[in-house]
Amino acid sequence: MEVPEVAVHVERLHSPRTADRAPAPEDPPREPAEQPAPRARRFWAVRRIPAALLALIILGGAGLLLYDVAAVRADRTAMRWRSELADELAIRPLDDTWLRAGASLAALIGIWLLVLAATPGLRAVLPMRRDHEGVRAGLDRDAAALALRDRAMEVSGVQSVRVKMKRRKVAVRAVSHFRELDEVRADVESVLGTGIDELGLARSPALTVRVGRPLKKR
């Protein structure tokens, strides 16, 4: 077990010269100052697959182009694809359909990569409160939804429950086969409100509860 921080409270220091003297009156203990809890931030995704694909594409294209340039420097003819590509780019107008399509595709790929680089990702992991410095924890959304569903199933009159857990909202759809719907809704809201607080999330999501009757069988 790794201990990130150890707090030691020293009440009095004794030296060998003053060991025989009368002890000084004890000062009232001071309460440690409360430090603000560290801010809980979202977990960032590693995104190994997009990074690996982009690296392979750049490596392959750069290697092929470098090989062709080295071949031309060695008094060999350039590859056919590069000559045809250079000729096409030289003679085609800027308003050509294929040029616009290629430029749009390159721009979309660039925007997608920028979005991946600037956003945390891992939307399925909900950050939990950070009560201690250096300790971070996250809760899977499916696990949180399952825990809330089990809590709602304990309410009297609830037959089935569906929970959709999001980062800022929890949507609950319950089916009650007896008791008044308003009473069941109030009990479900109370139980799930307590359950959300006990999850220890850094940001408590808003709760929406709907209760209905089961469908009649024909």
Side-chain angles (χ1 to χ4, degrees), residues 91-107:
I91 62 177
R92 283 184 180 271
L94 295 179
D95 58 350
D96 185 74
T97 304
W98 289 104
L99 285 179
R100 289 184 176 182
S104 301
L105 179 61

Side-chain angles (χ1 to χ4, degrees), residues 9-15 18 22-27:
H9 179 66
V10 180
E11 296 182 354
R12 190 184 304 109
L13 295 177
H14 297 275
S15 64
T18 58
E26 296 184 358
D27 296 332

Side-chain angles (χ1 to χ4, degrees), residues 66-80 82-83:
L66 180 61
Y67 172 80
D68 190 39
V69 171
V72 172
R73 292 293 183 180
D75 296 334
R76 296 183 180 180
T77 58
M79 291 184 179
R80 184 177 179 180
R82 192 163 73 94
S83 300

Side-chain angles (χ1 to χ4, degrees), residues 52-197:
L53 292 177
L54 181 61
L56 289 176
I57 293 174
I58 294 177
L59 180 62
L64 188 62
L65 184 61
L66 180 61
Y67 172 80
D68 190 39
V69 171
V72 172
R73 292 293 183 180
D75 296 334
R76 296 183 180 180
T77 58
M79 291 184 179
R80 184 177 179 180
W81 65 270
R82 192 163 73 94
S83 300
E84 292 180 354
L85 180 61
D87 295 338
E88 290 292 335
L89 293 177
I91 62 177
R92 283 184 180 271
L94 295 179
D95 58 350
D96 185 74
T97 304
W98 289 104
L99 285 179
R100 289 184 176 182
S104 301
L105 179 61
L108 290 177
I109 294 176
I111 294 174
W112 176 62
L113 294 175
L114 289 176
V115 170
L116 291 181
T119 54
L122 289 182
R123 299 178 62 87
V125 179
L126 302 175
M128 303 179 68
R129 289 192 297 266
R130 297 186 61 185
D131 297 331
H132 303 282
E133 185 69 28
V135 179
R136 297 185 63 193
L139 182 62
D140 186 76
R141 283 199 301 174
D142 293 338
L146 182 60
L148 296 180
R149 176 188 175 277
D150 293 340
R151 295 290 296 269
M153 288 296 298
E154 297 176 358
V155 177
S156 177
V158 174
Q159 183 179 14
S160 62
V161 181
R162 294 178 59 184
V163 179
K164 291 184 179 181
M165 188 78 182
K166 299 181 180 180
R167 292 194 301 114
R168 300 182 180 180
K169 183 179 179 181
V170 180
V172 180
R173 181 73 171 90
V175 176
S176 176
H177 55 293
F178 69 93
R179 293 182 65 194
E180 295 293 332
L181 296 182
D182 294 338
E183 297 179 358
V184 176
R185 183 183 300 106
D187 292 345
V188 171
E189 290 178 351
S190 177
V191 169
L192 293 187
T194 304
I196 291 175
D197 294 336

